[in-house]
């Protein structure tokens, strides 16, 4: 054992050297990127927070009805968000929603094209698979450290960490949906002279849409699961009162903030769930 541990591979020093190199040679780029993402998040927050809470609640309830045609869901959205306002967590809730929406847009914007490319090129999926495994299994606190060093405190490192954690779901499910397109459909499209782009748009993507929407739902749930951890690097939202409650052993605050997170998760899950049209009469 002494022989095995006497000559350690310098994995930790290599990682530190890599991050130090990035800070020294690309610090300005990371700072500009951080400011750009911060401006987008602030714009989203202003859009959500500027109207009175009741107006925003009604707009979200209307969106829920348009998506699912369910009065029951809309009533649940109104009741849940009104409860959150009553408990004094509206500002934190809007911050969490902005973070979740931004991370979901980034994840789907990156994940869907990568999943399509991986479905078309099996070698690419072979390369991506170990990377995705690492992104999903590495403890989140590990990549919070370089995110904090590169992007500083605030919403941006929380957003980056959330994207790293949630991105594999959208890639894997998009790849699954496109790659599982029945061979007969592909051969029929080819027989009618469809180009690869036409085949993708008219055959493969429609077939893969349930899996892509499932990837969106998974991305939203994974993003919400990062809310509390993101609060540790200065990201505002419902994770902040949870961390404060943990530090002060405040059961009431922790339970109320946790319940708000649960309500948001249920609302977003019901609004984005695949097959919602069957709930028309809900």
């Amino acid at each position: 054992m002494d022989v095995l541990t006497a000559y350690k591979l310098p994995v930790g020093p290599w990682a530190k050297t890599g991050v130090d190199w990035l800070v020294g040679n690309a610090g300005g780029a990371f700072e500009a990127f951080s400011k750009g993402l911060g401006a987008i998040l602030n714009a989203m927050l202003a859009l959500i927070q500027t109207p009175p809470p009741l107006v925003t609640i009604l707009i979200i309830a209307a969106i829920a009805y348009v998506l699912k045609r369910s009065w029951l869901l809309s009533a649940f959205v109104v009741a849940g968000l009104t409860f959150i306002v009553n408990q004094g967590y509206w500002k934190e809730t809007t911050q969490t929603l902005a973070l979740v929406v931004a991370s979901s847009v980034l994840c789907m914007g990156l994940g869907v094209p990568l999943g399509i490319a991986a479905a078309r090129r099996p070698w690419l999926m072979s390369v991506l698979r170990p990377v995705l495994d690492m992104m999903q299994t590495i403890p989140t606190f590990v990549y919070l450290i370089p995110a904090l060093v590169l992007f500083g405190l605030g919403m941006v490192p929380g957003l980056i960490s959330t994207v790293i954690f949630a991105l594999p779901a959208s890639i894997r499910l998009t790849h699954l949906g496109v790659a599982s397109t029945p061979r007969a459909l592909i051969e029929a499209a080819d027989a009618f002279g469809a180009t690869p782009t036409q085949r993708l748009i008219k055959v493969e993507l429609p077939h893969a849409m349930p899996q892509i929407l499932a990837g969106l739902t998974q991305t939203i749930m994974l993003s919400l699961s990062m809310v509390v951890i993101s609060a540790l690097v200065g990201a505002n939202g419902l994770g902040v009162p949870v961390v404060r409650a943990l530090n002060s052993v405040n059961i009431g605050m922790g339970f109320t903030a946790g319940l708000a997170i649960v309500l948001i998760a249920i609302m977003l899950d019901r609004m984005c769930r695949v097959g919602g049209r069957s709930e028309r009469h809900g």
Side-chain angles (χ1 to χ4, degrees):
M1 289 298 294
D2 292 338
V3 175
L4 292 175
T5 58
Y7 302 98
K8 294 182 180 178
L9 290 174
V11 176
W14 287 344
K16 183 179 184 303
T17 301
V19 173
D20 289 342
W21 184 89
L22 288 174
V23 172
N25 294 274
F30 282 110
E31 184 178 356
F33 183 70
S34 178
K35 288 181 178 179
L37 281 181
I40 294 173
L41 286 169
N42 289 332
M44 294 175 62
L45 280 173
L47 183 64
I48 300 174
Q49 293 178 346
T50 299
L54 184 58
V55 174
T56 304
I57 290 172
L58 292 176
I59 292 173
I60 296 175
I63 293 173
Y65 181 78
V66 170
L67 290 174
K68 295 300 176 183
R69 294 293 191 270
S70 171
W71 289 109
L72 183 61
L73 176 60
S74 297
F76 175 74
V77 169
V78 172
L81 293 178
T82 303
F83 169 79
I84 290 173
V85 173
N86 173 261
Q87 296 299 308
Y89 288 122
W90 177 247
K91 181 179 179 180
E92 290 83 357
T93 297
T94 57
Q95 292 166 339
T96 294
L97 284 173
L99 186 62
V100 170
V101 170
S103 63
S104 298
V105 170
L106 283 174
C107 286
M108 298 306 291
L110 294 171
V112 172
L114 281 173
I116 293 172
R120 292 287 185 86
R121 300 167 181 83
W123 65 266
L124 179 57
M125 192 60 194
S126 299
V127 173
L128 286 175
R129 188 172 288 111
V131 177
L132 299 179
D133 291 341
M134 184 181 69
M135 291 168 68
Q136 286 186 305
T137 56
I138 191 170
T140 52
F141 292 98
V142 173
Y143 52 73
L144 278 179
I145 301 170
L148 185 61
V149 172
L150 294 173
F151 300 102
L153 284 170
M155 297 284 280
V156 174
L159 174 61
I160 298 299
S161 302
T162 301
V163 170
I164 293 173
F165 183 66
L167 180 60
S170 59
I171 296 176
R172 289 184 188 276
L173 286 170
T174 300
H175 169 265
L176 174 64
V178 175
S180 63
T181 303
R183 187 66 190 170
L185 291 178
I186 295 177
E187 291 175 350
D190 292 340
F192 281 101
T195 64
T197 301
Q198 291 173 329
R199 188 180 70 194
L200 174 66
I201 295 175
K202 296 183 177 181
V203 177
E204 292 173 325
L205 283 182
H207 178 270
M209 194 54 63
Q211 283 81 9
I212 294 174
L213 292 177
L216 173 60
T217 303
Q218 287 296 310
T219 297
I220 291 172
M221 295 300 106
L222 290 171
S223 299
L224 275 170
S225 71
M226 285 290 292
V227 167
V228 176
I229 296 175
S230 298
L232 298 176
V233 292
N236 296 320
L238 289 169
V240 175
V242 173
V243 173
R244 288 176 181 169
L246 178 63
N247 292 333
S248 60
V249 198
N250 189 327
I251 298 175
M253 179 189 294
F255 181 81
T256 306
L259 181 59
I261 295 174
V262 170
L263 289 173
I264 295 298
I266 294 173
M267 292 175 203
L268 293 176
D269 176 68
R270 298 298 185 272
M271 290 170 65
C272 300
R273 177 179 291 182
V274 180
R277 290 294 175 183
S278 62
E279 299 173 300
R280 180 180 297 272
H281 301 292

